[in-house]
Amino acid sequence: MRSVIKGASYILAHTPDMVVQNGTTQTTERVVNPESEYLSNLPSHLRSFDDCLAYWPNQVYIGNKLPSDLEGVQFPYYDKKCDVTSRYGKYGQMMPEAELYLLMQAVDVFDLIELDADFVSAHKSELEANEAIDEGVMSRVKDGVSAEKVSSLIEDEGALGLYLDGKLVGCCKRAHEIDNNLSAEYMLENLASKATEVLSILEVVKKAGISKEDVDYVIDCCEEACGDENQRGGGNFAKASAEIAGLTNATGSDARGFCAGPTHAMIEAAALVASGAYKCVIVAAGGCTAKLGMNGKNHVEKGLPVLEDMLGGFAVVLTPDDGVNPYIDLEHLGRHTVGTGSAPQNVMQSLVYDPLEAAGLEVTDVDKYSPEMQNPDITKAGGAGDVPLANYKMIAALGVKKGQLDRKDIPAFAKDHGFIGWAPTQGHIPSGIPAIGVARDQILAGNWKRLMVIGKGSLFLGRLTNLFDGVSYMVCANDGAGMESQGVSDEEVRGLVAKAMKDFAATLLAQADAE
């Protein structure tokens, strides 16, 4: 049996105040240089929600524009307004900061988020009007507390403030007085990730046209860790998010692999469905507050707005082969093994060419490749260059060496088989997964046959190994062969059983008549 992609969702949450208060670049700066020019200039470089709605890469991310549309926009993108400015898109939505705070309070089951009552009163109706938010979520929104109570929790009990337009509107309390794993900082980080994951799941249930009761497994693949000092990172974001989203028949677990996490998770989910262990699996992740404003210093120094002001999220639904939706090819996976090494040629050989050669394909037989899809507006200003383009050049260069491409074809390869990056630099969020939605649509429309998703991760960040990491898989047009290999369908089995029972009853009647 094969696993198919039933639907995908992508969400963004605009968090300018969180950039200032919670991004690690800014929190570190306040410790080492609290009077820095960067911190004083930062507020004037923050974007409004309307600015973010008019930002081309954001509209591509939620599905109102195609990646090919972005190709026609002159770089850089931050000073070009998109002609579509809707907060809702084909794949999801953009959520303003006020709604995010209310959603964080709604997903909090330990009363850690306290919001000012006046703030709740002013913005509750906005969350209620959100197209993805249901009664189950709204019933969890509390009326709030006094402004004095919020200030007291911050001053006396180590809570972290939540701000809107620079004004204190709430706080996140610590969950333990001593355990640093349950500090207010980590609780806020985890609750923000959980909230954006819940929003992604609610969106994908609608987009895929499935029932919440159909979902029986969730895999979370964000880059956060929840647990106390005895089991730090023990999890489980997946089941916690499923609870709030109302997936009453689901269980789940977390998968971690730094930026490669979503690719590992998709392979695991596809294998679970293909094995018959579960029939409907959601792979999902919320955003990372630590990475907000990560390149903020460079952006401010160059006169740009702070472009890393969005928490990202996504969710993908996988189900058994229906003969229609594109399937994940589990027979030809790319694997960066322990023995692969970190040389670029070895990496691309293991992740791209090994699975292609095993499938009897050449590099041009894949319509599109989706590696690290970071938005170059962010990364070029931050000094990291155009990350997707660098990947395509490496893939093409190895293709030249193998005789599958001519050297003069390298620039065209990037255009014909690649994308311009459009995803926020949230670590796991750009890692291959942003192309799933558009690839599914293009494959169903008959425009593409294959997408290769390439996830890569930096394991050395954990200080346990210097190894690099990566896996890849192909999403392929459904030819119906998987349905044929499954043999008799459930409906056919029921028909056969009914016929057998009818024949048996007829036999008994005949025997009775004969007697």
Side-chain angles (χ1 to χ4, degrees), residues 34-96:
E35 304 300 323
S36 75
E37 184 178 352
Y38 166 61
L39 290 176
S40 64
N41 290 335
L42 178 60
S44 64
H45 289 260
L46 297 176
R47 295 189 294 185
S48 69
F49 187 57
D50 285 343
D51 291 336
C52 292
L53 292 179
Y55 186 54
W56 268 92
N58 290 349
Q59 289 294 341
V60 174
Y61 190 79
I62 66 171
N64 282 330
K65 288 292 186 179
L66 292 170
S68 56
D69 295 329
L70 188 61
E71 294 176 8
V73 181
Q74 185 179 358
F75 187 85
Y77 310 127
Y78 69 87
D79 57 352
K80 315 292 189 309
K81 287 192 175 183
C82 185
D83 57 327
V84 176
T85 57
S86 172
R87 65 169 288 187
Y88 295 103
K90 183 175 185 178
Y91 304 134
Q93 65 169 281
M94 284 184 258
M95 174 176 272

Side-chain angles (χ1 to χ4, degrees), residues 408-418:
K408 69 178 182 350
D409 296 330
I410 291 179
F413 179 85
K415 177 173 173 45
D416 295 341
H417 296 274

Side-chain angles (χ1 to χ4, degrees), residues 1-2 327-334 354-355 358-359 472-474:
M1 185 163 61
R2 300 191 303 205
Y327 70 92
I328 293 180
D329 181 1
L330 290 173
E331 293 184 32
H332 306 104
L333 300 174
D354 282 352
S472 66
Y473 59 88
M474 285 184 280

Side-chain angles (χ1 to χ4, degrees), residues 6-11 90-92 131-134 197-218 241-250 280-284 314-319 440:
K6 185 81 170 175
S9 70
Y10 300 94
I11 68 95
K90 183 175 185 178
Y91 304 134
E131 293 180 2
I133 301 301
D134 55 28
E197 178 172 55
V198 167
L199 183 60
S200 301
I201 292 173
L202 291 172
E203 284 282 9
V204 85
V205 168
K206 290 176 56 181
K207 305 301 182 189
I210 61 173
S211 166
K212 290 183 179 182
E213 290 74 24
D214 291 340
V215 182
D216 46 17
Y217 205 85
V218 178
S241 296
E243 175 191 18
I244 304 299
L247 310 183
T248 54
N249 292 328
C280 184
V281 179
I282 291 179
V283 174
F314 67 83
V316 182
V317 176
L318 293 94
T319 59
R440 177 176 176 272

Side-chain angles (χ1 to χ4, degrees), residues 434-445:
I436 293 291
V438 67
R440 177 176 176 272
D441 291 342
Q442 293 294 328
I443 289 172
L444 287 174

Side-chain angles (χ1 to χ4, degrees), residues 17-18 21-22 96-105 112-124 142-154 159-172 188:
D17 289 271
M18 279 189 163
Q21 301 296 329
N22 308 115
E97 197 163 34
E99 287 182 34
L100 176 65
Y101 289 159
L102 288 164
L103 185 55
M104 286 171 61
Q105 189 269 301
L112 299 173
I113 299 289
E114 296 286 7
L115 297 176
D116 183 297
D118 291 339
F119 166 81
V120 175
S121 177
H123 297 283
K124 184 176 180 180
K142 298 187 296 185
D143 292 335
V145 298
S146 68
E148 291 75 20
K149 176 66 174 177
V150 172
S151 296
S152 174
L153 288 169
I154 294 172
L160 275 182
L162 296 172
Y163 296 82
L164 185 68
D165 298 326
K167 178 184 176 182
L168 182 66
V169 296
C171 67
C172 179
L188 189 151

